[in-house]
Amino acid sequence: MHYYCVSFTHKNTDIATREKLSFSSEDKKRELLKLIHSNNKILESLILSTCNRVEIFLFTGELDKLNEHIINTLCLLCGVDKNELSAKADFYEDSGAIHHLFSVASSLDSLVIGETQIAGQLKDAYKFSLQEQKCGVHITRAIHYAFKCAAKVRNQTEISKNPISVASVAVAKAKELLNLENKTIVVVGAGEMSELACKHLLNAKAKVLILNRDIQNAKKLSETLGEDVSYESIANLKEALNKYEVFFSATNAPHAIITSDLLEEKDFKRYFFDIAVPRDIDIKMSEKNIVYAVDDLEEVVRKNLTLREHQAQIAYSIVGVMTNDFFQHLSKLATLPLVKQLRLRADEIAKEQLQKAIKKGYLKHTNHEEARKLINQVMNVFLHHPSVNLKKLSGTMQNDSVVNAMRYVFDLKNENLEGLNSYKCEFSLENHNEI
């Protein structure tokens, strides 16, 4: 049994391809889960889809041809060339998959290191998989440890001090370009990313106009944020585009909603910050119409990286330790049931043989209790050292082979023990010091 992850992120995949791979729609995500599980070797799955990444995290019976199955499935659903996807994807197995999951949960693999949104996004992805009955005990254990790891990173480093996000980076870029104070900034959308953008804009002393398809959601967000925020229907988008200078867009629309045909010639510059994937903005760049998408914010991100590099190194050390701890935990989950099963099996054999001895007249019925106590004492003495030694092995590299050998020798096939074999953590802290 194996943990496995296929990863497309801002590090290995351009935004145009990430747009095609986006699974913001629950129906599309549901279809992907269904197609993934057409391979009956895949037992559990989880899909994390954000503006910067698509992660497919699996628990599977075998790894043979798994890459090909996942890539073919994505090509079928998203219409991306197979060779292109295979070249871009990062594939992680077992300890590599768990280490990657923990890094993602701890915001170490994010475009903006230390951003705070990813934990909530991962939690939502887990809940969705659970609701679709595609997530079981194995991924649940991994997710539990991932959040435990993220909490440790947050508490033991300053990586999330003054927390930032893609939205905050976009606002920081806008502040570099012009003075936002008392300027009306248009925010298209009323979701989590839009709300973050609004908050950062308000901190910059700007005024905010929210445009949204659902006017009630826009009204609710406006009332939450205060008197410097107003709202209108997205039906007024064209008017706003030709009146104001700065725009932030973060909707879940499957296609661009701000297009060149909506723009009129103006004598002032307009700045567009597209923080959605798929992108909301598809206009022709010019001297007076300047567009920044998620991947265009690299300069601000690099500054963030330099400031947080030392803290990130500490955080990666924590992730490495937690990865080892997780596999030791799995070893214990295999060892303790085995000890219990050995004793239960010994007890069953003792009772069977005692009844046979009485039935065949080897033992008087009046001696039944004394014989039972003697057999139990013999079995306890016999199993004492194996039990102690198994517990000592728990969490070591030898544990898996010994557990499997014991299960084979004593023919122990209890369901609680199935699927807990062959986990080894080969992650080395020395090889992962860089960001």
Side-chain angles (χ1 to χ4, degrees):
M1 298 292 176
H2 304 273
Y3 284 106
Y4 187 79
C5 182
V6 182
S7 175
F8 301 91
T9 73
H10 61 279
K11 294 179 178 179
N12 61 17
T13 308
D14 58 273
I15 192 169
T17 306
R18 295 205 311 272
E19 283 179 323
K20 295 176 184 176
L21 294 174
S22 175
F23 290 90
S24 54
S25 159
E26 288 195 353
D27 287 340
K28 193 175 178 183
K29 198 183 299 182
R30 195 174 286 115
E31 183 66 15
L32 176 59
L33 287 171
K34 182 180 176 182
L35 289 173
I36 283 173
H37 283 266
S38 65
N39 180 336
N40 58 19
K41 296 297 182 182
I42 296 174
L43 305 177
E44 301 178 28
S45 62
L46 178 148
I47 300 162
L48 174 65
S49 180
T50 75
C51 61
N52 290 320
R53 67 182 59 252
V54 173
E55 308 277 356
I56 300 173
F57 191 69
L58 307 172
F59 184 77
T60 179
E62 60 182 54
L63 297 172
D64 186 43
K65 296 184 178 179
L66 194 56
N67 291 8
E68 187 178 350
H69 172 65
I70 298 301
I71 295 298
N72 286 343
T73 299
L74 289 172
C75 290
L76 179 67
L77 264 183
C78 305
V80 185
D81 179 72
K82 180 178 178 179
N83 292 330
E84 180 186 355
L85 275 191
S86 297
K88 292 179 186 297
D90 285 329
F91 301 99
Y92 301 95
E93 300 174 8
D94 294 322
S95 61
I98 293 298
H99 183 268
H100 179 67
L101 174 66
F102 290 4
S103 299
V104 169
S106 302
S107 185
L108 296 177
D109 196 62
S110 297
L111 176 68
V112 182
I113 290 179
E115 57 95 0
T116 55
Q117 275 186 293
I118 191 64
Q121 291 165 334
L122 183 58
K123 189 176 291 184
D124 289 342
Y126 169 64
K127 284 180 179 177
F128 183 81
S129 182
L130 211 55
Q131 288 165 5
E132 296 298 311
Q133 298 183 331
K134 295 294 187 283
C135 183
V137 65
H138 301 282
I139 285 183
T140 295
R141 285 172 184 155
I143 292 295
H144 169 77
Y145 254 76
F147 289 135
K148 190 175 176 182
C149 179
K152 219 166 200 180
V153 168
R154 191 168 57 249
N155 293 332
Q156 295 184 12
T157 73
E158 295 185 358
I159 202 162
S160 294
K161 191 176 181 181
N162 302 318
I164 58 177
S165 63
V166 172
S168 68
V169 170
V171 173
K173 184 64 180 177
K175 286 167 67 177
E176 286 182 11
L177 297 170
L178 65 168
N179 181 13
L180 302 182
E181 190 170 348
N182 292 321
K183 190 181 291 294
T184 297
I185 312 297
V186 178
V187 175
V188 184
E192 184 181 3
M193 189 74 81
S194 297
E195 182 177 352
L196 283 171
C198 289
K199 288 178 178 177
H200 290 293
L201 289 166
L202 292 171
N203 285 338
K205 298 182 180 180
K207 298 184 184 299
V208 176
L209 170 61
I210 299 171
L211 300 183
N212 196 49
R213 195 172 305 280
D214 187 327
I215 196 70
Q216 291 303 315
N217 284 348
K219 179 183 179 183
K220 184 178 177 182
L221 180 56
S222 172
E223 290 172 348
T224 301
L225 295 173
E227 61 182 14
D228 286 329
V229 181
S230 56
Y231 66 94
E232 293 179 11
S233 167
I234 203 168
N236 298 334
L237 178 61
K238 183 173 182 178
E239 180 185 345
L241 287 171
N242 295 295
K243 180 179 179 181
Y244 299 105
E245 296 175 64
V246 185
F247 305 86
F248 286 76
S249 192
T251 76
N252 285 324
H255 49 72
I257 58 172
I258 299 176
T259 54
S260 294
D261 60 297
L262 297 175
L263 301 182
E264 299 170 0
E265 287 291 330
K266 295 293 176 182
D267 58 2
F268 56 85
K269 282 187 178 181
R270 282 174 285 198
Y271 298 88
F272 299 88
F273 294 88
D274 192 344
I275 51 178
V277 176
R279 284 173 287 189
D280 282 341
I281 301 171
D282 182 15
I283 63 175
K284 187 177 180 181
M285 284 274 285
S286 68
E287 188 180 336
K288 291 193 174 176
N289 293 317
I290 302 158
V291 181
Y292 293 92
V294 169
D295 289 2
D296 298 319
L297 303 171
E298 288 290 345
E299 185 181 346
V300 182
V301 171
R302 277 196 297 272
K303 291 178 182 177
N304 163 257
L305 197 62
T306 303
L307 290 171
R308 295 170 184 245
E309 184 173 358
H310 176 64
Q311 292 300 309
Q313 288 178 357
I314 298 171
Y316 267 117
S317 297
I318 294 170
V319 170
V321 170
M322 289 296 290
T323 301
N324 280 290
D325 286 351
F326 176 70
F327 284 97
Q328 287 183 3
H329 174 65
L330 290 186
S331 293
K332 289 176 183 176
L333 290 176
T335 303
L336 296 180
L338 176 60
V339 172
K340 182 180 178 181
Q341 282 302 108
L342 277 173
R343 293 188 172 276
L344 286 174
R345 184 67 181 132
D347 189 54
E348 287 173 6
I349 292 170
K351 287 177 180 177
E352 288 172 6
Q353 296 305 313
L354 190 57
Q355 290 301 319
K356 285 182 181 179
I358 293 172
K359 188 176 181 179
K360 292 184 177 181
Y362 301 151
L363 187 68
K364 291 182 180 180
H365 193 75
T366 52
N367 296 331
H368 173 278
E369 186 62 26
E370 288 76 10
R372 185 187 65 77
K373 288 179 181 178
L374 177 60
I375 292 172
N376 283 345
Q377 181 63 23
V378 171
M379 286 297 185
N380 284 335
V381 171
F382 176 73
L383 291 174
H384 174 71
H385 287 298
S387 298
V388 169
N389 290 335
L390 277 171
K391 289 176 181 177
K392 284 180 181 177
L393 277 175
S394 181
T396 67
M397 295 297 284
Q398 300 98 319
N399 182 81
D400 302 314
S401 55
V402 173
V403 166
N404 288 331
M406 293 286 283
R407 287 173 58 198
Y408 176 78
V409 168
F410 288 97
D411 195 26
L412 299 175
K413 295 180 180 179
N414 184 272
E415 289 182 1
N416 291 330
L417 298 177
E418 295 297 328
L420 292 171
N421 59 327
S422 301
Y423 287 114
K424 294 181 180 179
C425 183
E426 298 171 354
F427 169 75
S428 169
L429 292 178
E430 295 176 0
N431 297 329
H432 289 265
N433 286 330
E434 60 186 9
I435 306 303

